[in-house]
Amino acid sequence: MEFLDRYQQIVAEAITKYTFKDKPAELYDPMNYIISHGGKRLRPIMVLMACDLFGGDLKQAIKPALAIEFFHNFTLIHDDIMDEAPLRRNKPTIHTLHGINVGILSGDGLMLKAYKFFEDLEPEIFKACIRIFTHTGLLLCEGQQYDINFETQEDVTYDDYIRMITYKTGVLSASSFEIGALIARANFKDAKAIFNFGKHIGIAFQIMDDYLDVFGDQAQFGKKHAGDIYENKKTILYLLAREHGTDEERKELDHWYGKKTDNIDKVYGVEKIFRRTKVDEKALRLIQKHNEIGQSYLEKINIPEDKKKPFAELANYLLRRES
């Protein structure tokens, strides 16, 4: 997809331009470290795409797009600390290299730098973007806490799970699109439509993440295989297995999820239940469902179809990913 390459190039050049040169290096080098690893840099691309869709000036959107990227990476640093994750994008995590204290500080630094990167916007647009950005950050914290709660909560429902991943993943994609739309001065109705498109694509993306944790290629995925099982995460796979499993299988899941252990037998035991209950197929159907809901919001935007085509292509590309 040439359009994606173009946006990635814009983001990459901006990241190089705005590399942190502040002191002390012990704080800012880890910040540069995680930003430089890049990944697909989807959220800043979403800001630029939405700005373009509504005829905005991309130059005005570049620093806010980086703000979203900084914020996203701040959440990853802290997520990795909480999950005790050794790898991120196939590279050692910051707390693994530099310790938990540096991980916390560098994450905080990225969040504060993110706020500064909105400062060039005109006052009215600045106020609207910061309101969305701050609300998104709070929802993300709520989603993370729900995720933590689920590790010991026995009665997690499907609605609980959807709320958690909406807050933890969906709203950041949604807000990235909405912020880009606002910078381009899109009307309220269109800005909300592109927000809802992003929300459902984000939900689908997180379900895919849960799926890949168990059924993906570990080398391509860049994370520890079955990390969610080790951490007792009540993912969509777990919920579907409980819903469609036998009483005996539910008892076995209760046994394994009642302890936090690196015992490989736990992974084998849970994976067998997942495969017997065909949760992989069921999860893929849910991914497609949320993709279709997202596309329905895209269709509501009164913009020529050729301009909306890259959004549909991006969604389909993300949900076919292997890593």
Side-chain angles (χ1 to χ4, degrees):
M1 294 189 296
E2 291 183 7
F3 78 90
L4 194 58
D5 293 338
R6 181 171 72 89
Y7 289 121
Q8 284 179 329
Q9 184 63 30
I10 292 171
V11 173
E13 289 175 359
I15 284 173
T16 300
K17 178 179 178 180
Y18 293 107
T19 296
F20 303 123
K21 299 179 175 65
D22 313 71
K23 301 294 182 183
E26 291 80 3
L27 173 65
Y28 289 99
D29 285 353
M31 292 160 63
N32 286 325
Y33 170 81
I34 192 166
I35 293 294
S36 68
H37 289 165
K40 294 183 177 68
R41 292 168 174 160
L42 300 172
R43 284 86 183 171
I45 287 172
M46 291 172 181
V47 176
L48 300 180
M49 286 181 67
C51 184
D52 247 354
L53 178 67
F54 296 105
D57 181 355
L58 276 191
K59 291 180 182 177
Q60 294 181 10
I62 287 173
K63 288 181 75 174
L66 288 191
I68 297 293
E69 180 69 355
F70 294 165
F71 181 82
H72 174 58
N73 280 277
F74 142 68
T75 68
L76 298 183
I77 294 172
H78 284 199
D79 269 359
D80 289 340
I81 291 171
M82 285 184 265
D83 292 343
E84 300 178 3
L87 294 176
R88 167 72 62 180
R89 298 164 183 156
N90 273 326
K91 302 283 187 181
T93 47
I94 285 178
H95 71 275
T96 302
L97 291 173
H98 302 285
I100 290 175
N101 290 344
V102 170
I104 292 170
L105 282 174
S106 59
D108 292 346
L110 274 177
M111 180 185 67
L112 294 168
K113 284 287 188 180
Y115 273 95
K116 289 186 66 63
F117 269 51
F118 284 102
E119 289 176 352
D120 293 346
L121 294 173
E122 294 178 13
E124 184 180 347
I125 303 299
F126 170 82
K127 185 177 179 180
C129 289
I130 288 295
R131 183 175 63 247
I132 292 165
F133 184 68
T134 302
H135 183 59
T136 297
L138 288 170
L139 288 179
L140 196 146
C141 289
E142 291 174 18
Q144 179 70 2
Q145 185 62 57
Y146 282 128
D147 195 20
I148 293 169
N149 292 352
F150 291 174
E151 292 179 23
T152 54
Q153 183 178 326
E154 293 182 5
D155 57 341
V156 177
T157 67
Y158 175 77
D159 288 342
D160 291 335
Y161 167 83
I162 291 296
R163 177 180 59 182
M164 183 271 288
I165 65 169
T166 298
Y167 288 4
K168 190 175 174 182
T169 302
V171 293
L172 187 55
S173 297
S175 297
S176 298
F177 282 126
E178 187 176 16
I179 285 170
L182 289 176
I183 292 169
R185 291 170 171 75
N187 64 51
F188 178 82
K189 182 179 177 182
D190 286 344
K192 283 303 170 188
I194 201 68
F195 173 93
N196 283 312
F197 166 77
K199 181 177 77 172
H200 284 281
I201 297 308
I203 290 170
F205 187 85
Q206 183 58 51
I207 295 174
M208 178 62 85
D209 219 54
D210 292 352
Y211 168 88
L212 290 171
D213 181 74
V214 174
F215 297 105
D217 184 319
Q218 182 185 0
Q220 291 180 313
F221 195 37
K223 296 180 183 178
K224 180 180 179 180
H225 173 70
D228 289 341
I229 296 175
Y230 283 114
E231 295 295 323
N232 295 335
K233 299 283 187 183
K234 305 294 199 311
T235 68
I236 192 64
L237 304 182
Y238 167 87
L239 294 175
L240 289 170
R242 283 196 65 83
E243 180 183 352
H244 297 280
T246 63
D247 287 342
E248 185 177 340
E249 286 168 336
R250 280 190 284 273
K251 286 179 183 177
E252 188 176 350
L253 285 172
D254 289 341
H255 167 73
W256 289 123
Y257 279 75
K259 57 179 72 176
K260 206 166 186 177
T261 173
D262 279 347
N263 186 340
I264 196 66
D265 290 340
K266 175 180 180 176
V267 174
Y268 288 151
V270 172
E271 281 192 14
K272 282 181 182 178
I273 296 172
F274 284 176
R275 294 182 191 280
R276 284 200 300 266
T277 51
K278 298 183 178 179
V279 298
D280 52 338
E281 297 173 11
K282 295 175 175 65
L284 291 173
R285 283 197 292 271
L286 278 173
I287 290 166
Q288 186 57 34
K289 171 191 169 184
H290 282 281
N291 186 16
E292 289 171 359
I293 295 172
Q295 303 289 351
S296 73
Y297 280 104
L298 187 62
E299 290 169 7
K300 294 177 182 179
I301 299 172
N302 187 23
I303 294 282
E305 289 302 313
D306 62 313
K307 288 192 172 183
K308 292 190 280 188
K309 186 179 177 182
F311 290 78
E313 290 179 359
L314 175 65
N316 291 329
Y317 163 72
L318 294 178
L319 302 179
R320 287 194 307 266
R321 71 198 175 110
E322 294 179 332
S323 62

